[in-house]
Amino acid sequence: MKRALAAVAVALMTVTGLVATTTTSASAHGTHHSRSHASKGYTQVVVAPAVYDLVTTAGITPAPLNGATAAPYKGTLAARFPITAYRLRGLQIRHTGGISLTAGSSTISLSNFNIDLARGRVSGVVSGTVGDVGRVDLFKIRASDRAGLGLVRLTLTNTAAGALNTTFGVDAFAENATFGYATPRPFGR
């Protein structure tokens, strides 16, 4: 786990180190850096193959939202969420965009993800059939067991598992189950 968090922290430090060298000293000591959308890169999230199989078998269709992209990747799906800001204090990476999951009239949207390395959590804004939930912790950051898919493993929080189960009328999602893998790619295109 420490190795996985260290890898993400190195990616974040690379970003913030390069940003800090291009800002004033007051900004370098601040907690928030913001530059143009295109220069910050993205975080790639690969859906765990077992989850992708479950989702497609259940007739749930994923779709990117608001600047995110999604494409087939190694027999599953990879989504890219643009990085919009970094925080030195608290080791946070903020994103725009999101993903919706839809089956018939049931839908859930997850967007505006924040990676919080200090807490080992990823939060996002949740809305859809379950209502406008607002920002909640969606994933716990764990050591990757599939390095080819991502630097860290994302496991579901109880809140996220419950929202998915409620939305789609299933009991397939559980707290601490692997949902996917994430890799921040600062300055990636």
Side-chain angles (χ1 to χ4, degrees):
M1 174 64 179
K2 287 182 182 178
R3 194 175 339 187
L5 288 176
V8 174
V10 167
L12 179 60
M13 286 186 277
T14 300
V15 170
T16 56
L18 291 172
V19 171
T21 61
T22 63
T23 60
T24 65
S25 61
S27 294
H29 294 292
T31 60
H32 183 76
H33 293 283
S34 182
R35 291 183 9 175
S36 72
H37 198 78
S39 68
K40 289 193 179 166
Y42 60 90
T43 294
Q44 178 168 290
V45 175
V46 176
V47 177
V51 173
Y52 184 70
D53 291 344
L54 171 74
V55 166
T56 57
T57 301
I60 300 169
T61 304
L65 301 170
N66 304 324
T69 61
Y73 183 82
K74 297 184 178 185
T76 184
L77 180 76
R80 292 181 177 183
F81 305 101
I83 295 172
T84 60
Y86 331 103
R87 280 189 178 259
L88 296 175
R89 274 192 204 132
L91 296 174
Q92 295 180 353
I93 306 173
R94 293 183 181 185
H95 301 80
T96 191
I99 194 153
S100 68
L101 302 170
T102 305
S105 63
S106 298
T107 187
I108 189 167
S109 296
L110 313 169
S111 63
N112 300 325
F113 302 107
N114 287 341
I115 298 173
D116 186 336
L117 295 173
R119 292 187 323 114
R121 299 285 187 271
V122 176
S123 66
V125 176
V126 177
S127 63
T129 306
V130 295
D132 290 331
V133 177
R135 179 164 299 281
V136 297
D137 285 343
L138 299 170
F139 306 108
K140 300 172 189 175
I141 300 170
R142 303 290 185 237
S144 181
D145 56 355
R146 309 252 332 242
L149 296 180
L151 287 177
V152 295
R153 182 168 50 106
L154 301 174
T155 63
L156 290 168
T157 63
N158 188 51
T159 302
L164 290 167
N165 287 331
T166 299
T167 297
F168 299 112
V170 298
D171 62 0
F173 300 98
E175 182 177 14
N176 296 319
T178 299
F179 185 85
Y181 300 85
T183 304
R185 297 185 186 265
F187 306 109
R189 302 223 182 248

